Structures are given as C-alpha cells and as structure tokens.
C-alpha cells in the first residue's frame, strides 16, 4: 500500500497536506499525532470515505470493492443501541462475499467460527457487544476483518479505553495478522506502547513529520513538530 | 370489518418490523415526517381518481430519498432536512386540499385513519406493499444490520451498504403508506415506534426484537380495531393507546433500559 502526495480537505480546512509513505505487505504500523493531526482523516481517505483533493492512494489488490480493506472505527462511530451479538458482528464480515441474495451457509459459519477462535472469543459468541470489555470489542472487530478476508486493516483509536493487558492481547492478534502478510494500521495516542510491538510508526500532524521504526522516529524535532515545545520533554535520541 | 381486520393485521406486522430498525437507528422521527410528507400524493390521488395509497407510494419514496440526498449534498443533519421537507410537503398537501373543489374527503380521516372504510383496492395495495417490504427486509437484512451497527465499517466494506440505506428509507416510506390507512398521518408513528420499543425492553437479539414487535403490533392493531368498533372511536387513536398501554406495562416490569 502506498500514498503519494495525498491532500485532503475537510469542511474547507486542509486536514492533510502532501502525505506520502509506503507500507510493505506484512507491516504493523502505528499512526500517531496530536488531536486534530488528521489520523482519522487519513484512514477515511485510505478507506474512500473522504475524497482526495490531490495525490493518490494505491491499495493494489486491497481495493474497496474486493472486500480487501477493513475499517475498525472509533468507539463513538458505532451504534451500540443496536443489540447485536459477537457472532452477528463477525458474520457482517461475510457480507461482501454473500452479495445481495445468498444467506450465510455452512462455510460462512465455519469461517466465522475460525475467526472467533483466532481472536479468542468463541466462548463469547452469543454475548451482546455491549456486554464485552473495550479490548474484547476491538478483538471482535478484528475477527470481522478476518472473516472479510481483508488484507489491509485500519484500526482507529483501537487502544482507547482498553487496559494494558487487553492492549497486549490485541497487539498479539495484530502481530499474527502481520506475520501472514497483512498490513495493519492502528491510530493511537499511546506513544509508549509502540516500541518492540510495531514495525513502523507514522508521525502525523497535518503532514508526515516522520515515518520509520518506533525506536528511531521520536526525535526532539519530530516531537516538537507534533506536540510543540511540550513534546520535546518526552524524548532523548529518538526514544521516548 | 373483515377488510379492516386484514388491513389492521398488515399494519400491525409491517410497521413494527421496519420500525425496529428505525428505533435502534434513531430514525423514528423520519417515519412521522414521511407520514406527513405523503399528503400531497394522497390529495393528488383523490384529484386524479386513483387510489390515494397508490398515489402516496411514489411521493413517500421520493421524499425518503430526498431527505438523504439533501442532508448529504447540503451538509446539514438529516433531522434538519427531514424538518424542512416534511413541513414543506405537508403544507403543500394542505394547500392542494384547500384549493381543490372536487375532493370530498374529511381531513380528520386522513389525519386519524379510517381503517373501517378501507376498500378492496386498499387491501390489495397493502398486500402488495407487504410482499415488497418482506422481500426487501429478507434481501437487505445482513447489509441493513451491518450499516445500522457500524455505518463507516459497512461503507468501507462495500457500496452495497449505501444501497441498503436507501432501500431502508424506501421500505419505511412503503410501510408508512400502509400505516396511514389504519392509524392516519398523525399516529402512524405510534405503530412504527411503540411496539418496537416495547420489544426492545423484552428480548435481547435484534431479530427477536423484530419478531416480538410484529406480534405486539398485531395484537395492538387488532385490539385497537375492536375497541374502536365497540366504542365508536377512530381506529388510529385506539390502536395507539393499546400499543402505549402495552409499552407502559412492559416498561413497569422491564429488564432493560428503555430506548
């Protein structure tokens, strides 16, 4: 996957300017930046939810219509009032394979079962989504992406409201997806959780401040670009 | 009375089935708006001499699609575009009604429903719409569930999610047309919302909510019909009050928080 000079405007405001980076297959990438840095905008542009003013998003085989791209939205974008079970949500991943008229068959149910096993939630299959913890909900959404057979996963603020142990469980699942050659992009505010877990970090603040391994990108200059003078206090020689 | 009974059962089943989506998607208001917005279609039907329910169908569908198009294009919230379109269309209907010299219909019958006067054509129209909506719900169920739960995730997954959203608005417009014949323009919202909200308090899963809502809606419609017949009341208010009493009873002994 690659972005070439992507510029996105939201409500007349330039949210992203000339964003360029490459993500090879089999990469777990963290996307960081302050509030309003354009992390969600970037994901929306990659997902085709926002028009790209200039530049190009190359998804190669993970195009939207092939079902190759899966999007896990922020918590507040989901309608929790709708009482759906864990099984229902993972089955949603099969929608693009079902088309309009086919009902889920034995194969779809087997795939859903395998995906739920993969994210460690088969025992919770009949639970309502509202009965799960934040970390478990995120894993259900990852299970849905697996059921969709997506090769690119976009997770927006996936660590938000998720405790450390649950974050660890989620990262383990994401690393296993990375090991299969999938691309996983995860937007987060938690900078300390990236080293040793993520392969690449994209530092964003309306533009790309830095892109590289997590133990190298957090230089004083990059932190200042992202967070202003306060950011410099948290870094020494590229490490937090 | 047999025709009224058939009409009531169709309203009792169909409005809550679609209403379950409207309630859980915070779209209850659009049902009320569509009911008001089809008035010009109904009046036009009387003027040109076709069954008002048939004339109301294209009006309802057009307004439902316009609501979405206006909110997307103008960048305003859907409840604002609903407010504008609903008031405009209802006002247009009232002006057409006032200026027409050929129409001999009582506005109260339109507002409160007149199921006891339903014609065989009205029943056939309702049956036809029922079949279309059931087929639509069956076809779009997975996509509607996906788009209702996670609109962004569904849109990224496929453009079918958008189509399912439009299909839902069309189905909503269709059941509103069936509902108006029984409950009238003002009270059709009660048949859309109240049985679905009651079911939400009773059962856990969404499909169970749809089925329970249909049973409760049918019970309320039939009971309301008989109450209106024996106490010489309009059917719409009677059905609404029965549905509301059921809701209040369930609410008093609820196991879940209200919608």
């Amino acid at each position: 996957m690659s972005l070439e000079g992507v510029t996105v405007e939201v409500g007349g405001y330039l949210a992203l300017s000339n964003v360029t980076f490459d993500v090879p297959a089999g990469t777990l990438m963290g996307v960081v930046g302050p509030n309003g840095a354009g992390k969600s905008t970037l994901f929306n542009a990659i997902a085709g939810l926002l028009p790209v003013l200039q530049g190009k998003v190359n998804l190669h085989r993970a195009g939207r219509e092939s079902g190759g791209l899966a999007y896990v939205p922020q918590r507040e974008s989901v309608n929790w009032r709708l009482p759906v079970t864990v099984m229902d949500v993972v089955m949603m991943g099969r929608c693009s394979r079902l088309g309009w008229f086919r009902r889920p068959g034995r194969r779809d149910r087997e795939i859903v079962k395998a995906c739920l096993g993969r994210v460690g939630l088969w025992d919770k299959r009949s639970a309502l989504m509202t009965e799960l913890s934040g970390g478990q909900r995120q894993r259900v959404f990852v299970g849905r992406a697996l059921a969709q057979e997506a090769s690119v996963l976009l997770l927006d603020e996936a660590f938000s409201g998720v405790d450390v142990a649950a974050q660890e469980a989620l990262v383990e699942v994401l690393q296993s997806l990375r090991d299969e050659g999938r691309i996983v992009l995860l937007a987060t505010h938690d900078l300390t959780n990236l080293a040793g877990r993520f392969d690449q970090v994209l530092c964003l603040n309306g533009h790309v401040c830095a892109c590289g391994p997590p133990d190298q990108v957090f230089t004083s200059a990059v932190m200042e670009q992202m967070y202003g003078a306060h950011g410099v206090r948290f870094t020494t020689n590229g490490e937090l | 009375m047999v025709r009224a009974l058939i009409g009531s059962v169709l309203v009792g089943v169909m409005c809550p089935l679609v209403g379950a989506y409207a309630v859980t998607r915070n779209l209850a208001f659009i049902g009320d708006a569509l009911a008001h917005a089809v008035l010009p279609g109904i009046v036009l039907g009387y003027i040109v001499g076709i069954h008002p329910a048939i004339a109301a169908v294209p009006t309802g569908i057009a307004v439902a699609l316009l609501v979405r198009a206006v909110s997307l294009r103008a960048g305003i919230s859907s409840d604002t575009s609903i407010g504008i379109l609903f008031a405009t269309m209802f006002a247009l209907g009232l002006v057409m009604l006032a200026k027409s010299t050929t129409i001999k219909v009582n506005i109260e019958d339109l507002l409160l429903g007149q199921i006891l006067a339903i014609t065989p054509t009205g029943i056939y129209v309702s049956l036809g719409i029922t079949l279309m909506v059931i087929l639509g719900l069956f076809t779009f169920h997975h996509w509607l569930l996906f788009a209702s739960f996670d609109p962004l995730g569904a849109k990224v997954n496929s453009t079918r999610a958008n189509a399912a959203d439009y299909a839902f608005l069309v189905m909503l417009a269709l059941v509103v047309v069936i509902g108006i014949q029984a409950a009238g323009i003002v009270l059709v919202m009660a048949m859309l919302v109240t049985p679905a909200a009651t079911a939400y308090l009773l059962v856990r899963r969404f499909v169970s909510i749809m089925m329970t809502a249909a049973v409760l809606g049918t019970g309320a419609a039939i009971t309301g019909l008989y109450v209106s017949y024996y106490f010489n009341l309009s059917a719409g208010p009677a059905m609404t009050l029965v549905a509301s009493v059921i809701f209040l009873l369930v609410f008093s002994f609820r196991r879940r928080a209200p919608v």
Side-chain angles (χ1 to χ4, degrees):
Chain A
M1 188 185 94
S2 64
L3 273 74
E4 295 167 23
V6 168
T7 299
V8 181
E9 225 178 57
V10 181
Y13 161 76
L14 201 61
L16 287 176
S17 173
N18 196 27
V19 171
T20 300
F21 65 94
D22 281 303
V23 193
T27 301
L28 177 53
M29 175 183 263
V31 179
V32 300
N35 289 330
K39 301 187 290 294
S40 297
T41 304
L42 173 72
F43 282 8
N44 287 339
I46 294 171
L49 295 172
L50 278 176
V52 173
L53 200 64
Q54 279 176 13
K56 202 175 168 192
V57 177
N58 300 309
L59 287 171
H60 303 294
R61 280 177 300 168
R64 196 174 160 197
E65 279 316 305
S66 66
L69 182 77
Y71 183 79
V72 177
Q74 289 188 34
R75 204 167 135 185
E76 47 275 21
S77 301
V78 175
N79 175 17
W80 299 107
R81 192 184 292 267
L82 193 82
V84 285
T85 64
V86 167
M87 190 86 164
D88 290 333
V89 174
V90 179
M91 189 59 86
M92 287 171 192
R94 300 300 300 159
C95 273
S96 53
R97 311 282 160 188
L98 291 173
W100 285 125
F101 298 104
R102 196 166 72 78
R103 318 300 297 170
R106 183 192 285 181
R107 185 169 177 271
D108 299 301
R109 283 190 289 276
E110 279 170 4
I111 288 171
V112 167
K113 183 179 177 181
C115 296
L116 275 171
R118 187 89 194 269
V119 296
L121 288 170
W122 174 245
D123 293 344
K124 295 275 185 189
R125 63 190 177 278
S126 301
L128 290 177
M129 285 296 282
T130 46
E131 294 168 348
L132 302 185
S133 67
Q136 287 172 328
R137 288 177 189 178
Q138 289 297 333
R139 280 191 281 148
V140 174
F141 285 121
V142 172
R144 186 180 76 186
L146 282 171
Q148 188 185 320
E149 299 170 38
S151 51
V152 176
L153 280 76
L154 307 174
L155 292 88
D156 202 354
E157 303 289 357
F159 290 154
S160 172
V162 177
D163 66 46
V164 178
Q167 282 186 18
E168 197 62 42
L170 179 60
V171 168
E172 275 176 24
V173 173
L174 298 179
Q175 284 172 336
S176 73
L177 301 183
R178 179 265 322 268
D179 294 342
E180 291 171 354
R182 298 177 211 255
I183 291 172
V184 182
L185 266 66
L186 186 149
T188 179
H189 283 287
D190 190 353
L191 307 186
T192 56
N193 209 5
L194 301 169
R197 292 171 165 178
F198 285 71
D199 307 309
Q200 298 277 316
V201 174
L202 177 73
C203 298
L204 206 62
N205 194 7
H207 61 281
V208 176
C209 302
C211 186
D215 55 353
Q216 292 173 22
V217 291
F218 295 118
T219 61
S220 299
V222 171
M223 290 298 282
E224 191 171 2
Q225 274 190 65
M226 286 200 291
Y227 300 100
H230 295 294
V232 183
R233 294 186 205 159
F234 300 105
T235 182
T236 314
N237 299 327
E239 288 188 35
L240 292 169
Chain B
M1 188 63 181
V2 174
R3 284 203 300 269
L5 187 62
I6 295 169
S8 301
V9 169
L10 293 178
V11 172
V13 173
M14 296 316 297
C15 284
L17 277 181
V18 177
Y21 279 107
V23 165
T24 49
R25 293 181 70 162
N26 291 335
L27 287 173
F29 180 51
I30 197 175
D32 189 34
L34 283 174
H36 285 78
V38 296
L39 185 61
I42 293 172
V43 176
L44 192 66
Y46 281 116
I47 291 171
V48 300
I50 57 171
H51 194 279
I54 296 174
V57 167
T59 319
I61 292 173
V63 173
L65 299 181
L66 262 176
V67 164
R68 193 168 161 84
V70 167
S71 56
L72 285 176
R73 295 271 168 89
I76 54 177
S77 67
S78 56
D79 59 343
T80 306
S81 62
I82 289 167
I84 295 167
L85 285 165
F86 135 53
T88 307
M89 294 296 284
F90 190 60
L92 178 65
L94 290 175
V95 169
M96 287 167 70
L97 203 58
K99 288 292 173 191
S100 169
T101 50
T102 54
I103 299 176
K104 293 181 178 61
V105 66
N106 188 351
I107 183 71
E108 195 177 302
D109 289 346
L110 291 176
L111 294 178
L112 301 179
Q114 189 52 277
I115 191 76
L116 288 166
I118 193 166
T119 61
T121 311
I123 291 292
Y124 293 136
V125 171
S126 294
L127 274 170
I129 291 176
T130 297
L131 288 175
M132 284 166 67
V133 174
I134 286 177
L135 184 68
L137 286 174
F138 184 79
T139 306
F140 296 112
H141 175 71
H142 284 93
W143 281 106
L144 278 176
L145 204 63
F146 195 173
S148 304
F149 176 66
D150 176 8
L152 291 180
K155 269 182 204 161
V156 173
N157 190 297
S158 172
T159 48
R160 285 196 179 100
N162 262 334
D165 271 344
Y166 279 113
F168 169 71
L169 288 174
V170 170
M171 288 190 281
L172 193 60
L174 290 173
V175 296
V176 160
V177 171
I178 305 180
I180 283 175
Q181 296 185 77
I185 287 171
V186 177
L187 297 174
V188 68
M189 182 164 172
M191 292 308 290
L192 272 174
V193 170
T194 313
T198 311
Y200 188 86
L201 301 182
L202 284 171
V203 289
R204 277 163 51 95
R205 292 188 61 171
F206 183 69
V207 173
S208 310
I209 288 175
M210 289 176 83
M211 297 306 153
T212 309
V215 170
L216 292 171
T218 308
I222 295 173
T223 312
L225 177 67
Y226 278 93
V227 168
S228 74
Y229 182 76
Y230 286 108
F231 293 95
N232 196 25
L233 301 165
S234 292
M239 289 177 184
T240 302
L241 286 175
V242 172
S244 301
V245 167
I246 297 171
F247 175 80
L248 284 173
L249 285 173
V250 171
F251 177 72
S252 305
F253 302 99
R254 74 189 190 277
R255 47 174 290 212
R256 293 182 57 165
V259 180

